[in-house]
Amino acid sequence: MQIIENIDALQALVGEEVGVSDWLLIDQARINQFADATEDHQWIHVDVERAERESPFGAPIAHGFLTLSLLPQLTSQIRRIEGVTTTVNYGLDKVRFIAPVPVDSKVRARQKLEAVEPRGDNRYMLHNTVTIEIEGSDKPACIAQSLSLIIF
């Protein structure tokens, strides 16, 4: 984990890769739990036998939104900014699902800081590009332009 001492040190990282998270296993239990939470039980995600038989991927795949929902957990491993009292997920500007995540794959996040925008007293909007990589794959699962509001 990268420790960033202050806002000046953070601003010096604009345009740079901030870091990479640890790998996280996407197993069938996680996929099923996500399906239950979102009520999205499409067979390509939860019916193992049918997915092995009929899916073009030969196995179940994770929901795209499951992959996207992992951004906070994965990016929290990458950096910490000293003095920040609050971080708020502000949203996403653009999201693309590039490649499916087959069951039992591992994913990780690679984060690049694109901009630090002042938003008033002790508040800054962070613009990050987060790439969710799949272990052993040439293509990423997802690329998202993420926005976070930090407050000192």
Side-chain angles (χ1 to χ4, degrees), residues 26-48 60-67 69:
I26 306 300
D27 60 10
Q28 191 63 51
R30 184 182 297 269
I31 292 170
N32 291 346
Q33 289 171 339
F34 188 84
D36 289 343
T38 61
E39 297 187 19
D40 179 357
H41 293 92
Q42 185 181 22
W43 68 267
I44 202 163
H45 305 301
V46 298
D47 187 333
V48 174
I61 59 171
H63 305 71
F65 284 114
L66 166 56
T67 304
S69 74

Side-chain angles (χ1 to χ4, degrees), residues 91-140:
L92 302 158
D93 275 342
K94 183 177 178 181
V95 176
R96 294 292 181 261
F97 298 110
I98 309 300
V101 177
V103 67
D104 296 327
S105 295
K106 291 182 181 178
V107 298
R108 70 179 178 186
R110 182 174 299 276
Q111 185 174 26
K112 179 180 177 185
L113 181 62
E114 302 289 355
V116 177
E117 178 187 336
R119 285 289 181 103
D121 291 342
N122 300 317
R123 295 171 183 248
Y124 298 87
M125 183 69 65
L126 306 185
H127 298 251
N128 290 285
T129 298
V130 182
T131 302
I132 304 296
E133 300 174 334
I134 307 166
E135 187 176 47
S137 176
D138 293 337
K139 292 183 180 180

